[in-house]
Amino acid sequence: MDVKIIMSVGGNIDISSFKDIPSNFVVSNYVSQLEILKQADVFITHGGMNSTNEGLYYGVPLILIPQFADQPFVAARVAKLGAGIVIEKDKVTPGALKQSVGKILTDNSFRINSEKIGKSLREAGGYKKGVDEIIKLINK
């Protein structure tokens, strides 16, 4: 595919252990996720609440590969809202990823739905609104 992939592998992975990294991949132990999301067209994530909220906040459609705990529920909700595609962790293949990315890039409804959710998240007021609401409860 004619795409650029930014792949963060975490601090415990030796990147030199990867063989034959394609030229359109940037593999790093760390990337600024929020800075990448400001420019991303698709976000592949495990579906944790933080990553999911961050991706949707920036209106980025998601490919979710839930691992455990609440992630399957979060992923199912994102898919139901039309903002992403779920791939079960035991069914992840290069072909499944390529097909899902292709679908998101060609079906504009994923972008539209992600942007709609992002707009609602941004308009909710963020942590400042949350603090104000907590203070209101305390002062009752």
Side-chain angles (χ1 to χ4, degrees):
M1 297 180 81
D2 184 22
V3 296
K4 184 173 189 175
I5 308 294
I6 310 296
M7 184 173 163
S8 176
V9 296
N12 296 324
I13 302 291
D14 178 6
I15 294 172
S16 68
S17 68
F18 291 106
K19 305 295 183 228
D20 302 319
I21 297 172
S23 62
N24 62 326
F25 273 64
V26 174
V27 180
S28 180
N29 294 107
Y30 170 82
V31 298
S32 173
Q33 182 167 293
L34 296 179
E35 291 303 313
I36 298 296
L37 288 171
K38 291 176 184 177
Q39 303 173 52
D41 294 313
V42 179
F43 179 30
I44 301 172
T45 176
H46 62 315
M49 260 334 284
N50 285 339
S51 295
T52 299
N53 279 327
E54 289 169 354
L56 293 173
Y57 183 89
Y58 288 105
V60 180
L62 309 175
I63 296 173
L64 303 112
I65 306 168
Q67 304 297 305
F68 63 95
D70 65 333
Q71 296 167 1
F73 301 104
V74 171
R77 183 65 178 152
V78 170
K80 184 174 182 177
L81 294 172
I85 296 171
V86 179
I87 304 174
E88 294 177 33
K89 67 181 177 182
D90 59 342
K91 295 183 180 175
V92 175
T93 64
L97 286 169
K98 184 176 181 179
Q99 179 182 13
S100 296
V101 169
K103 185 172 183 177
I104 284 178
L105 293 177
T106 58
D107 181 345
N108 203 35
S109 69
F110 290 102
R111 171 68 63 182
I112 291 167
N113 291 327
S114 297
E115 288 175 350
K116 187 185 319 179
I117 295 167
K119 183 175 187 261
S120 73
L121 291 172
R122 291 186 303 278
E123 290 176 350
Y127 72 90
K128 290 180 183 180
K129 175 75 172 174
V131 169
D132 289 344
E133 294 300 317
I134 291 169
I135 290 171
K136 283 181 191 176
L137 288 173
I138 291 171
N139 290 330
K140 277 189 168 183

